[in-house]
Amino acid sequence: MIKKTISQCLMVLLIMGASITLSAQDDSKDYVMFESMMMTPDYTKLKILGDNMRAHNAKYHKDGPYKAAVYTISTGPNSGRMVWMMGPTTYTHLDSRPSNNGHDEDWRDNVMPYIKKIHTSEYWKMNGELSNTSMLDGDNSKYPLILVRYGEIDEDHAYSLHSFFEMVSKTVKAMEGENPWGLYYNEFRQGNLGRHVASVSFFKNWAELDDDSVSFKDTFEATIGKNKWRSFIEMGDGVFSNSWDEIWSYSAHMSGE
């Protein structure tokens, strides 16, 4: 498992422009991408929203490239909001996404009345080379907690982004045990929102955040080199001008499970 040391040291950062984003991503059509929508629920109608969201996802988003997962945000500036996520999917799949057979009407009449605001609608493509997600099988209930770190990159240091995450990736993959970790790029520019890159660690429970049995720093020094740690930290300080963490909790009920 990815230990608390990792959650304190890294996990996510961002990319700032479309040119950087495109150069960092895999151009092949064999990729992993998720559609995500962050929204604020009507807190006085949570039961109705939960039941209606469950029914909608169970009917229209049960499996395949249109499978939906719903998370509630437990920490950070967006606490209390929820995230509806679809995928893994591709742009080609979006042309055939559910819209007929009552889908749009059901979303309009039975879900949207209990949503106060939709904040973002985004597409996140995974860096398959650097990510460490081979142990994930699509069953979100196995890792119901995820730690997401967003950040902003300093324009003058964007060239160091890939090198930084290469070191993170090598270290995570060298750690003992299973350490699911994914690196995702936002497909479209976000302006001042700063949500350009997200790295995600997956946890089976909260107790894993207390487990320091495997040190990211120790593994880094053994894998990358003892003399590289300080420059790695300084690289992160230079590349990322801002960052923040969120922990998301998976809702099997609202996901239609």
Side-chain angles (χ1 to χ4, degrees):
M1 312 303 157
I2 294 187
K3 304 301 184 285
K4 183 170 63 177
T5 308
I6 302 180
S7 66
Q8 291 172 341
C9 289
L10 36 104
M11 298 270 177
V12 112
L13 303 318
L14 117 192
I15 222 164
M16 82 183 192
S19 60
I20 301 173
T21 302
L22 291 174
S23 66
Q25 296 176 19
D26 185 356
D27 291 332
S28 73
K29 292 185 178 181
D30 184 19
Y31 59 85
V32 170
M33 183 176 75
F34 291 90
E35 176 185 344
S36 72
M37 184 164 42
M38 182 172 64
M39 57 192 77
T40 295
D42 181 345
Y43 299 114
T44 68
K45 306 290 186 181
L46 287 177
K47 185 180 187 311
I48 300 174
L49 172 61
D51 291 344
N52 290 1
M53 180 75 81
R54 174 183 176 82
H56 178 87
N57 289 331
K59 183 174 182 179
Y60 299 106
H61 298 279
K62 189 65 176 176
D63 48 34
Y66 311 113
K67 180 179 179 180
V70 180
Y71 291 85
T72 57
I73 303 177
S74 303
T75 67
N78 294 310
S79 295
R81 294 175 180 174
M82 53 190 289
V83 176
W84 181 91
M85 185 177 298
M86 186 180 77
T89 191
T90 67
Y91 289 121
T92 300
H93 287 127
L94 296 180
D95 287 326
S96 302
R97 65 182 305 153
S99 59
N100 300 321
N101 301 320
H103 172 278
D104 291 355
E105 292 79 7
D106 184 65
W107 183 267
R108 179 195 66 200
D109 298 337
N110 297 317
V111 176
M112 285 306 298
Y114 307 104
I115 299 295
K116 295 175 67 174
K117 183 177 181 180
I118 293 178
H119 300 274
T120 61
S121 185
E122 301 165 324
Y123 294 92
W124 295 89
K125 185 182 287 188
M126 186 177 77
N127 184 315
E129 176 187 357
L130 298 184
S131 295
N132 188 47
T133 58
S134 61
M135 67 289 296
L136 301 179
D137 62 4
D139 184 352
N140 298 295
S141 63
K142 292 181 178 178
Y143 292 91
L145 292 178
I146 61 176
L147 187 153
V148 184
R149 179 168 294 170
Y150 299 100
E152 298 180 18
I153 196 168
D154 183 284
E155 181 177 355
D156 295 331
H157 296 87
Y159 62 88
S160 297
L161 184 70
H162 187 72
S163 296
F164 179 87
F165 276 119
E166 275 189 324
M167 289 188 283
V168 173
S169 175
K170 288 179 181 178
T171 303
V172 170
K173 292 175 180 178
M175 293 174 68
E176 294 182 3
E178 292 188 343
N179 302 290
W181 179 84
L183 178 62
Y184 302 85
Y185 300 115
N186 199 322
E187 285 288 275
F188 301 102
R189 294 190 182 191
Q190 298 299 299
N192 294 328
L193 291 178
R195 299 163 59 87
H196 301 142
V197 171
S199 101
V200 181
S201 352
F202 302 78
F203 298 90
K204 292 181 178 179
N205 50 55
W206 284 92
E208 288 190 359
L209 292 169
D210 277 331
D211 189 351
D212 289 327
S213 60
V214 179
S215 167
F216 177 85
K217 181 180 178 182
D218 290 345
T219 306
F220 178 96
E221 291 181 340
T223 305
I224 309 298
K226 288 187 176 181
N227 61 336
K228 299 288 187 179
W229 177 254
R230 177 47 54 188
S231 61
F232 169 73
I233 297 299
E234 291 176 352
M235 181 185 296
D237 290 341
V239 170
F240 310 114
S241 61
N242 187 25
S243 64
W244 65 97
D245 294 341
E246 294 178 355
I247 290 184
W248 297 4
S249 301
Y250 175 64
S251 172
H253 177 78
M254 284 194 289
S255 300
E257 295 293 337

